[in-house]
Amino acid sequence: MFQTFEASTSPDQGPPRLAALRDAIAQAELDGFLIPRADAHQGEYVAPRDDRLAWLTGFTGSAGFAAVLAGHAGVFIDGRYRVQVKDQTADVFTPVPWPETKLGDWLIDHCPNGATIGFDPWLHTLGEIEALESRLAGSGVTLSETDNLIDQIWPDQPGPPVGKVSAYPDDLAGKTSAEKRHEIAQILKRAGQAAAVLTLPDAICWLLNIRGADIPRIPIVQAFAIMRADSSVTLFADPAKFADLELG
């Protein structure tokens, strides 16, 4: 698959989608909602299903996030995207220079009477939320876990990726999966740990000597795993991806 530079979004799609999101925010009895460009694995690249920021705003940069309130919709972007965001988004969205402007400060400034801001906990790290809650402490602005509101209003949202998984040759990997699992198991034992939870697809692909096709141009399989001190692994993924594949 070759990369193209054709526009996949249009600014005129933003206003009606923003209005629909604000309706969903009100129905959820919230005052705002956070939309990161992220998936449950916190990877730099996301599958079409997880490209919620681009669907809502039109902005297709590789990093950024949006905060939507009843009267404000900020798109936070770093210095690489100051021109791009203006070209891709309608004027209902306000570009916010980030990290110069911190999200916590922006929320406090735009919610002087307090607010409850929803977020999908699958798309944020614990450290990120804890840091934001610390900044918001005493401001009257609070965070609330919720279902993803974008998913509720995206009528033709792509399904979860189901790219086929293939075995990666041991001679190219350098070690068999069994050898890698044994080494990691020894590390867990020395650390006095029974298991480790793996959330990064690239780490799982390395450990099991597999490659996937869930992300365009990135050979990973979206999955979670538990690596145990007895060298066993429990893999959490769509079984359809692993049809006819035997893992060692």
Side-chain angles (χ1 to χ4, degrees), residues 18 21-22 24-26 28 30-36 52 56 65-70 72-74 76 103 106-107 115-121 123-124 142-153:
L18 178 60
L21 176 58
R22 283 176 167 152
I25 291 171
L30 298 168
D31 301 296
F33 187 67
L34 304 180
I35 307 96
R52 299 174 180 88
L56 175 68
F65 59 93
V68 172
L69 308 172
H72 304 277
F76 291 70
L103 175 59
W106 188 89
L107 290 172
T116 300
I117 309 300
F119 71 96
D120 180 348
L123 304 183
H124 301 264
T142 60
L143 302 179
S144 178
E145 295 183 7
T146 184
D147 293 335
N148 197 294
L149 301 185
I150 296 294
D151 295 353
Q152 295 178 11
I153 64 171

Side-chain angles (χ1 to χ4, degrees), residues 170-246:
D170 292 340
D171 57 340
L172 296 180
K175 297 179 182 179
T176 67
S177 174
E179 291 171 330
K180 293 177 180 179
R181 286 183 275 122
H182 175 74
E183 291 181 6
I184 300 299
Q186 299 309 306
I187 294 173
L188 288 171
K189 290 176 181 178
R190 290 196 295 270
Q193 302 297 319
V197 176
L198 305 180
T199 64
L200 297 179
D202 50 347
I204 295 171
C205 287
W206 174 87
L207 179 66
L208 299 180
N209 282 357
I210 57 176
R211 295 296 184 266
D214 284 339
I215 305 293
R217 297 174 292 278
I218 307 295
I220 60 171
V221 51
Q222 288 191 331
F224 297 96
I226 299 176
M227 171 73 213
R228 294 185 172 84
D230 64 359
S231 297
S232 67
V233 173
T234 300
L235 188 64
F236 300 85
D238 187 338
K241 300 178 184 181
F242 295 83
D244 303 322
L245 179 70
E246 295 184 4

